[in-house]
Amino acid sequence: MRILHTSDWHLGRSLYNHKRYDEFANFLDWLADTIEDREIDVLLVAGDIFDTGMPSNRAQKLYYQFLNKASQKGCKHIVITGGNHDSPTFLNAPKILLEALNIHVIGSVSDNLEDEIIVLNDEQNQPKLIICAVPYLRDKDIRTVEVGESLNDKNQNMIDGIKAHYEAVYAIAKQKQLSFVDNVPIIAMGHLFATGGKVSDDGGVRELYVGSLARITEDCFPKGIDYVALGHLHIPQKVGKREHIRYSGSPIAMGYGEASQQKQVIEIQFIKKQLVINELPVPCFQPLLRIKGSLSHILAEVKLLKQKSSDAWLEIEYSGTEVVGDLQEQLNEAIAYSLLKIIRIRNQQIVSKALTQMVENETLAQLNETEVFMRCLDSFNVPYEQREMLLTSYQEIIHSLSHEDHQAE
């Protein structure tokens, strides 16, 4: 079987309030064509299909249109697991209907771990692949709260919970493997944060658990697994330099920090029981460019892009020494009659000037929830030695709220 590993589509995501539906549609069309051209039998999508738990109608339409197209293009099986951005309830809602098309959706952990084991058969109805379709493991899925536990205890309990879950699921898969005549490969899926994983500065990757806790290592996955298809980190990478444990990365740049990355999907085959991996580059469907410097430098770069008929979306950061009050007007004039689009302008001189006058007029809208909490600690003169535990407890509350399944009854 030819297998394709992808993740982190984040359908519906905007870039500074600019919609990107055309970009998502172009990627999904390319992916469907790749499935046909490469004769892909199995597509694995390791979480974060949507950017929010309540995706727009247009994002949903892209999703269902793609599933239909991929099936028509010859993809025999599609396995989708939920990520931390996804609503398990929303993903699971059409589960029974999609199974009729050999589309398997595992939105959340089930009481019966057998539900996470998917055996894929060939045209002769012979087993060819076993999938441990593990979705994003929420805090409540992997540990119980213990009175008086330290941060180290909490961290270890989370890691132990993740490891125990994979061991339990793998044990079921191994039993099935032993019952088959042929040595059927076992693939595990996951959506989690690996120790040492590379992230971009503005890719929008949220910590899955609290703070920096529960970053897993390659040892969390049983050694008998032939390939681990991971999602969550947007940069394609291996875990612990293990060839068979990989993040496919996001297929399009989620922010300007990812703009220079070569995006990819990963093709997997087992030829004579040997794992063969092929990294397939994903085309760039919407160029993103960040231009930083003096006004003369920025204008020169814009002029060069116009000459090349570029259609890039630009993030402009003015870092010159002089205050330029009409920066936006000059930039709008510079891109006139071109395909260029300015998405964001950062005027460092104006910002610096404003910051010196900001404290007295500061509003809640200008602060995130962690900054508000830290201001409260300052205002009540909370000793620094107590702040780590208080901040962690506060982050747990925020984490719980942000990961609540709002689609559930």
Side-chain angles (χ1 to χ4, degrees), residues 97-330:
L97 179 61
L98 292 176
E99 281 179 355
L101 300 173
N102 287 323
I103 299 170
H104 310 274
V105 179
I106 309 296
S108 62
V109 171
S110 170
D111 293 333
N112 183 5
L113 290 184
E114 288 268 3
D115 293 340
E116 294 179 26
I117 305 297
I118 301 170
V119 178
L120 304 182
N121 298 333
D122 61 13
E123 291 86 348
Q124 288 73 44
N125 206 33
Q126 295 300 308
K128 289 297 180 182
L129 196 63
I130 302 172
I131 306 293
C132 299
V134 180
Y136 166 51
L137 300 173
R138 285 171 165 76
D139 196 8
K140 63 182 177 62
D141 299 325
I142 57 176
R143 75 179 184 102
T144 56
V145 178
E146 299 179 7
V147 177
E149 64 181 352
S150 66
L151 286 176
N152 288 336
D153 292 337
K154 186 178 298 182
N155 184 40
Q156 192 59 52
N157 288 339
M158 287 180 175
I159 293 173
D160 290 345
I162 294 171
K163 187 174 183 179
H165 188 92
Y166 274 95
E167 287 175 347
V169 173
Y170 172 71
I172 299 172
K174 188 64 179 179
Q175 284 297 113
K176 291 184 180 295
Q177 185 189 54
L178 293 173
S179 70
F180 300 145
V181 175
D182 295 328
N183 185 24
V184 178
I186 298 176
I187 290 180
M189 300 172 69
H191 195 89
L192 31 74
F193 206 130
T195 297
K198 294 178 289 185
V199 298
S200 58
D201 59 357
D202 61 352
V205 175
R206 301 175 189 161
E207 284 283 4
L208 290 180
Y209 305 105
V210 181
S212 60
L213 299 182
R215 293 196 177 194
I216 59 92
T217 65
E218 64 268 28
D219 297 330
C220 280
F221 306 108
K223 292 183 179 179
I225 296 175
D226 297 288
Y227 182 82
V228 182
L230 296 177
H232 182 53
L233 301 188
H234 294 171
I235 300 176
Q237 57 196 287
K238 305 167 191 174
V239 175
K241 298 182 180 179
R242 299 289 182 91
E243 287 289 334
H244 72 294
I245 308 177
R246 292 182 175 234
Y247 289 95
S248 61
S250 59
I252 68 173
M254 294 298 153
Y256 284 90
E258 298 180 18
S260 61
Q261 296 170 16
Q262 175 58 67
K263 297 299 186 177
Q264 66 178 38
V265 294
I266 302 174
E267 183 185 69
I268 311 152
Q269 293 184 78
F270 293 94
I271 301 176
K272 296 181 180 180
K273 300 182 181 180
Q274 294 296 315
L275 175 65
V276 178
I277 295 174
N278 185 20
E279 299 171 354
L280 305 180
V282 177
C284 177
F285 302 103
Q286 176 55 66
L288 303 178
L289 290 175
R290 177 183 284 157
I291 303 176
K292 179 179 179 179
S294 64
L295 180 58
S296 59
H297 171 75
I298 292 170
L299 293 177
E301 290 293 309
V302 170
K303 182 178 180 180
L304 186 60
L305 291 171
K306 284 181 68 173
Q307 292 172 349
K308 295 179 179 179
S309 299
S310 172
D311 62 347
W313 286 10
L314 306 178
E315 181 184 64
I316 305 293
E317 182 173 344
Y318 171 67
S319 58
T321 57
E322 298 180 0
V323 175
V324 181
D326 62 342
L327 180 61
Q328 183 167 343
E329 289 78 3
Q330 292 197 50

